[in-house]
Amino acid sequence: PETGAAERARQQVLVYADSLTWGIVPNTRRRLPFDQRWPGVLESRLNASGRRVRVIEDCLNGRRTVWDDPFKPGRNGRGGLAQRIEMHSPLALVILMLGSNDFQFCHPWNDAWSAAQGIGVLVNDIRRAPIEPGMPVPPILIVCPPRVRDPKGMVAEKFRGADARSAGLERAYMQTAAELGCAFFDAETVTTTSPVDGVHLDADQHMKLGTALVEVTQGLIAD
């Protein structure tokens, strides 16, 4: 059993994301279990390496960076974000992985630049959150989601044209991260969207992403 002192030493990482991280099984309404979702893989691998880390998931299907969903309320990523940072502080790290939903059919003018600007707004909201005095402003890791490829199945109409409009997303996110002094990771370097729906991640891709992020996060979490 863990002692009270050991439990207090556990560091918290907040993952703020959408359905790619929530773990939706492509072309279904089912969800992968925690230990198969990339935040669960990340937590397990970090703890196995000797870290004492708790990964907190705040992942909402359909969440955008700063845009509203015309059919479902609460999908604007700014809504309640500062309060979530306050709620879970002290935080050792915040991981942002959003943007895919910025290219849904109802945002026909959005492109890579606009999504990157949205991520920048969220970064600033996190840094201005009303945390308790003396608690640290957490470092932020921006993870660019893998490219949307030929949306099909249940999400085909919702994401029509998203593959073309999201072109260059990794470059735009990298620039925003550099300008704001955030860490950056391009998920496309280790994962690909599912051939089943072209948007979400299959279980093996969750495993790859969670494993790849271990080294990245270890360098960002203070000892």
Side-chain angles (χ1 to χ4, degrees):
E2 296 178 339
T3 65
E7 181 62 29
R8 285 195 298 274
R10 191 176 295 276
Q11 294 172 296
Q12 298 196 129
V13 173
L14 177 65
V15 177
Y16 194 68
D18 57 22
S19 59
L20 275 73
T21 302
W22 187 85
I24 197 165
V25 178
N27 213 36
T28 76
R29 303 310 301 177
R30 298 194 306 274
R31 187 183 193 185
L32 293 170
F34 178 69
D35 60 359
Q36 292 182 32
R37 302 193 294 267
W38 72 256
V41 174
L42 176 61
E43 179 183 274
S44 176
R45 299 292 173 88
L46 284 172
N47 285 315
S49 74
R51 292 275 184 177
R52 296 186 56 74
V53 173
R54 177 188 178 214
V55 175
I56 302 167
E57 297 175 301
D58 192 319
C59 308
L60 179 65
N61 294 345
R63 179 180 279 153
R64 282 84 159 144
T65 58
V66 296
W67 317 103
D68 293 318
D69 185 321
F71 303 133
K72 294 181 179 179
R75 266 58 184 179
N76 185 321
R78 297 194 74 183
L81 174 56
Q83 287 69 41
R84 286 171 167 88
I85 302 302
E86 182 182 10
M87 181 190 310
H88 296 297
S89 289
L91 288 166
L93 178 68
V94 175
I95 302 177
L96 285 177
M97 183 171 151
L98 289 170
S100 299
N101 292 301
D102 286 29
F103 305 106
Q104 286 195 24
F105 76 99
C106 49
H107 310 299
W109 305 114
N110 282 4
D111 57 10
W113 178 86
S114 62
Q117 296 305 300
I119 284 288
V121 170
L122 300 184
V123 168
N124 288 326
D125 283 355
I126 290 168
R127 289 174 171 169
R128 290 193 294 260
I131 56 178
E132 294 298 320
M135 288 189 176
V137 176
I140 299 169
L141 171 62
I142 297 172
V143 178
C144 182
R147 299 169 193 160
V148 175
R149 287 181 170 84
D150 186 24
K152 56 180 72 70
M154 294 170 63
V155 300
E157 288 302 310
K158 187 182 291 186
F159 284 91
R160 63 178 181 265
D163 40 357
R165 287 185 289 110
S166 61
L169 191 64
E170 66 282 359
R171 293 190 301 276
Y173 274 31
M174 183 183 298
Q175 181 176 345
T176 293
E179 290 173 351
L180 294 176
C182 299
F184 172 77
F185 185 81
D186 180 10
E188 181 70 23
T189 61
V190 295
T191 64
T192 186
T193 48
S194 173
V196 175
D197 70 4
V199 175
H200 297 104
L201 299 176
D202 289 322
D204 63 330
Q205 302 304 304
H206 277 269
M207 182 65 68
K208 289 179 180 179
L209 181 55
T211 301
L213 287 173
V214 172
E215 183 175 356
V216 180
T217 55
Q218 282 180 326
L220 296 171
I221 299 174
D223 292 322

